[in-house]
Amino acid sequence: MEAKVISKQDLATWIDALVKQYEVIAPVTEDGVVVFRQVSGLSEMTIEGMVGPAKSLREHFTPPTETLFDYKLEDLSAEVIPPENEERHRVIFGARACDAATLLYVGAVYSNVEPIDTAYFMRREKTYLVGLFCNKPAWSCFCTEVGDFLTNPVAMDVYLTDLGNRYYAEPLTPKGEELIGLGNFRPADENDKVANEEIRQKALERLPKRAEHETACLSYDWDHPVWTELAKKCLSCGACAFLCPTCHCFDIQEHPKLKKGSRYRCWDTCQFEKFTLMASGHNPRETRKERTRQRVFHKFKYSQERYCMLGCVGCGRCIAACPVNIDIRRVLEELEKTAVAK
């Protein structure tokens, strides 16, 4: 598909055209934090100079709290009322390559469970992604260590690169070509292509090289001393899990009101002590040692074994947000140092 270019002066007109046809979700600054929210125009968006959104796209596919169904009781019968479907198609504008790659992983997870998570797949089917290349990766980013999706994006329809006074646009799907058709784009010339490549190379020089975590993680040591060290530092606050784009665990609760009520799900995490607490009182992950080990094993070893892909996209949010400076990159170094020694 042919790469094209749009002047920044024409960007607002393109966004307006998208808003007329779709619900547009884009990065905005909310209380000093960049998050993805629905917008009505370019003036609300935080695009220029953005290092990276503090939150991923997760809440737009699996909300933190979501009603599964309402119900009404009458004698011994119950009427189940499903939630209303979200009808409008959406465009997520400015998605980062790591967050888009997450959809490949989460889709694999939800495809392997019954019953099918219809709410997730309905949102995914109705969502188109206009991605934005990371010109200025954050200090905590390590996406290039776990994959090549920064330069070979997945799950996107259009991939933009900021060239200063214009955006270089690569349509990646027929839908992406359709979206680009709504704006005042021109075909990219040789100067645009060279500028695009230079900016990408400059960003790549700031990022780590590709590692072989897919192979190394299969030999991670269950009894490695790093688990004890992590347990001493971790506060079990859950910040790493709630900011992680690939985390997908939730709890299910009832909210009864006399003869009616609702069942809902809400985000949960394996880092909380009661996550695996059973009705009998037994807890297979009673201490932080078991819980921190579970997180790393799940992201790497178990995901590689089950889905043939890592459960980490290297967004680095867990590193940036951890109040006690736990760095998953250093944990992997320790684990793989031992694996190599063996």
Side-chain angles (χ1 to χ4, degrees):
M1 295 181 184
E2 185 184 24
K4 296 189 176 180
V5 168
I6 186 171
S7 162
K8 288 191 175 178
Q9 291 181 337
D10 292 327
L11 187 60
T13 305
W14 183 36
I15 300 297
D16 289 343
L18 293 174
V19 169
K20 284 181 182 175
Q21 294 194 26
Y22 305 95
E23 175 184 314
V24 176
I25 296 168
V28 304
T29 301
E30 191 174 87
D31 297 327
V33 177
V34 178
V35 296
F36 282 92
R37 292 286 181 267
Q38 185 176 352
V39 298
S40 58
L42 178 63
S43 61
E44 300 171 29
M45 296 164 57
T46 303
I47 293 290
E48 290 290 329
M50 180 182 66
V51 173
K55 290 185 178 180
S56 70
L57 305 177
R58 180 184 175 189
E59 62 184 305
H60 296 289
F61 291 94
T62 52
T65 302
E66 181 174 27
T67 299
L68 299 174
F69 59 80
D70 296 312
Y71 59 82
K72 293 179 181 177
L73 303 176
E74 189 65 38
D75 297 328
L76 296 178
S77 64
E79 179 188 1
V80 175
I81 307 162
E84 292 184 6
N85 292 330
E86 297 170 23
E87 297 293 340
R88 198 173 183 203
H89 289 245
R90 313 182 295 182
V91 169
I92 296 184
F93 193 96
R96 295 308 168 115
C98 55
D99 289 334
T102 293
L103 299 177
L104 202 64
Y105 174 76
V106 177
V109 172
Y110 285 157
S111 296
N112 280 276
V113 294
E114 290 287 348
I116 290 293
D117 194 315
T118 53
Y120 170 81
F121 283 107
M122 190 174 295
R123 291 187 185 106
R124 181 66 191 96
E125 184 182 341
K126 293 182 176 181
T127 304
Y128 311 113
L129 264 64
V130 176
L132 181 62
F133 181 80
C134 293
N135 288 20
K136 298 177 182 176
W139 64 270
S140 56
C141 289
F142 64 106
C143 63
T144 47
E145 190 176 314
V146 296
D148 65 351
F149 41 81
L150 182 61
T151 48
N152 295 293
V154 296
M156 284 186 191
D157 296 286
V158 181
Y159 199 22
L160 302 177
T161 302
D162 187 343
L163 300 186
N165 60 353
R166 62 201 188 282
Y167 284 100
Y168 187 86
E170 296 170 88
L172 304 174
T173 65
K175 189 65 188 181
E177 286 200 315
E178 186 182 320
L179 296 176
I180 282 179
L182 297 174
N184 184 25
F185 287 81
R186 64 166 173 80
D189 59 27
E190 197 56 33
N191 288 335
D192 299 319
K193 293 174 184 176
V194 170
N196 181 58
E197 186 59 28
E198 286 177 351
I199 284 177
R200 292 193 174 188
Q201 285 302 320
K202 196 172 179 181
L204 289 172
E205 288 170 4
R206 299 177 56 182
L207 289 162
K209 304 296 182 190
R210 186 76 166 91
E212 297 294 333
H213 295 309
E214 289 90 340
T215 303
C217 68
L218 301 178
S219 302
Y220 284 175
D221 186 355
W222 181 262
D223 296 315
H224 197 287
V226 74
W227 309 126
T228 302
E229 295 305 311
L230 283 179
K232 289 177 182 175
K233 293 182 70 176
C234 180
L235 303 176
S236 297
C237 67
C240 53
F242 291 132
L243 290 174
C244 176
T246 65
C247 275
H248 50 272
C249 291
F250 54 80
D251 190 15
I252 294 180
Q253 295 283 343
E254 300 284 336
H255 187 214
K257 295 178 183 176
L258 299 176
K259 288 190 174 184
K260 60 183 181 179
S262 60
R263 179 173 296 177
Y264 67 92
R265 65 180 175 184
C266 55
W267 290 0
D268 202 348
T269 168
C270 59
Q271 298 308 287
F272 289 164
E273 182 180 354
K274 292 183 180 178
F275 183 75
T276 47
L277 180 63
M278 301 179 186
S280 64
H282 174 64
N283 191 341
R285 296 188 208 126
E286 190 171 16
T287 73
R288 290 195 182 104
K289 178 180 177 181
E290 287 92 23
R291 297 196 289 273
T292 52
R293 178 172 56 197
Q294 164 64 21
R295 177 171 174 77
V296 176
F297 265 60
H298 191 182
K299 294 288 178 195
F300 291 85
K301 187 174 190 292
Y302 301 154
S303 291
Q304 184 62 29
E305 290 174 342
R306 291 172 187 168
Y307 313 116
C308 296
M309 66 178 85
L310 300 178
C312 173
V313 292
C315 72
R317 293 184 177 96
C318 61
I319 301 168
C322 181
V324 292
N325 299 322
I326 291 176
D327 188 331
I328 186 71
R329 298 170 296 189
R330 304 291 84 82
V331 176
L332 299 182
E333 279 180 11
E334 287 300 314
L335 288 169
E336 294 176 14
K337 200 185 301 176
T338 307
V340 169
K342 286 183 175 179

